[in-house]
């Protein structure tokens, strides 16, 4: 059986994608009992993330908040992000396997990691992946980190989340975490639950 956190992240992703989640379908997809799904829905409803309805759940009123896109976040607190990136990159040793999560701060970290020799970067961020890929085109593959991209469903801020991202991250071990899951305090949403789950798995991979 999947941990409760992963089941609830899947439920939230289903609600976001389809507008609703039906108990019968969740029981089949997650291979758990009807009571387990209903307890998960109770827990999500108690946090204000879903509204329970007959046979399942829909998004709770007030949670349908559009997440700012990556470009909108990039311009915020530029000097602070640059300072964080410089400090984080200084901690990374050559030959390491490093997990860099999603967000504009993490993207700044990735840019500073390009000069670390023999590095492997695991990420669920499309912009972080593009930083590495662009450098590879300019410098040649041997001169930049090896890139491992998780796959998954993209959020508006170009983070890959959901069961596929979680599966890939769970199967890997990393030497160091430079993980910045969110850039600012957003209202709780299904995407944040998913992002939190991916961030927790990245942290678990370094333990």
């Amino acid at each position: 059986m999947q941990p409760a956190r992963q089941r609830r992240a899947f439920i939230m992703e289903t609600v976001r994608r389809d507008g609703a989640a039906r108990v019968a379908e969740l029981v089949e997809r997650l291979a758990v009992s009807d009571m387990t799904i209903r307890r998960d829905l109770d827990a999500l409803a108690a946090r204000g993330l879903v509204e329970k309805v007959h046979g399942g759940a829909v998004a709770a009123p007030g949670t349908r908040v559009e997440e700012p896109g990556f470009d909108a976040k990039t311009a915020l607190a530029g000097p602070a992000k640059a300072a964080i990136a410089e400090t984080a990159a200084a901690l990374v040793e050559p030959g390491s396997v490093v997990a860099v999560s999603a967000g504009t701060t993490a993207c700044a970290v990735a840019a500073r990691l390009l000069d670390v020799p023999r590095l492997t970067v695991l990420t669920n961020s499309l912009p972080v992946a593009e930083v590495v890929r662009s450098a590879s085109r300019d410098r040649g593959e041997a001169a930049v980190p090896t890139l491992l991209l998780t796959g998954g469903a993209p959020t508006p801020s170009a983070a890959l989340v959901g069961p596929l991202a979680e599966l890939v991250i769970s199967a890997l071990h990393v030497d160091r975490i430079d993980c910045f899951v969110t850039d600012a305090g957003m209202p709780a949403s299904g995407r944040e639950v998913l992002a939190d789950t991916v961030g927790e798995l990245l942290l678990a991979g370094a333990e």
Side-chain angles (χ1 to χ4, degrees):
M1 182 188 300
Q2 289 183 332
R5 184 81 184 218
Q6 292 187 33
R7 291 196 311 271
R8 293 167 190 176
F10 180 84
I11 292 169
M12 288 302 308
E13 172 65 5
T14 302
V15 169
R16 183 209 65 80
R17 184 185 65 242
D18 301 334
R22 294 174 54 83
V23 171
E25 293 175 358
L26 293 171
V27 166
E28 182 177 353
R29 292 290 302 276
L30 296 173
V32 296
S33 70
D34 179 280
M35 290 302 298
T36 296
I37 293 299
R38 293 187 185 280
R39 284 195 296 269
D40 288 338
L41 294 179
D42 286 341
L44 292 171
R47 294 175 58 189
L49 296 174
V50 302
E51 180 178 352
K52 292 183 66 180
V53 296
H54 180 71
V58 297
T63 63
R64 300 177 182 87
V65 179
E66 290 296 323
E67 179 185 350
F70 187 87
D71 291 341
K73 294 179 180 179
T74 298
L76 301 175
K81 292 173 183 177
I84 291 170
E86 182 176 0
T87 300
L91 299 173
V92 177
E93 298 180 357
S96 298
V97 179
V98 182
V100 181
S101 188
T104 54
T105 304
C107 200
V109 172
R112 295 303 299 264
L113 293 176
L114 294 175
D115 296 323
V116 180
R118 306 185 310 282
L119 195 66
T120 298
V121 172
L122 167 66
T123 186
N124 69 316
S125 167
L126 293 174
V128 167
E130 184 57 29
V131 167
V132 178
R133 289 181 68 252
S134 294
S136 176
R137 290 192 294 267
D138 294 339
R139 305 182 187 184
E141 292 185 3
V144 299
T146 299
L147 175 66
L148 299 176
L149 186 62
T150 64
T155 70
S157 57
L160 299 177
V161 298
L164 177 59
E166 295 163 18
L167 178 65
V168 172
I169 294 166
S170 296
L172 298 173
H173 175 81
V174 298
D175 299 307
R176 180 174 294 278
I177 299 292
D178 294 295
C179 186
F180 303 89
V181 177
T182 56
D183 285 293
M186 292 286 294
S189 66
R191 286 297 194 181
E192 285 188 352
V193 172
L194 290 165
D196 287 346
T197 300
V198 170
E200 288 177 358
L201 290 170
L202 286 171
L203 289 168
E207 293 176 353

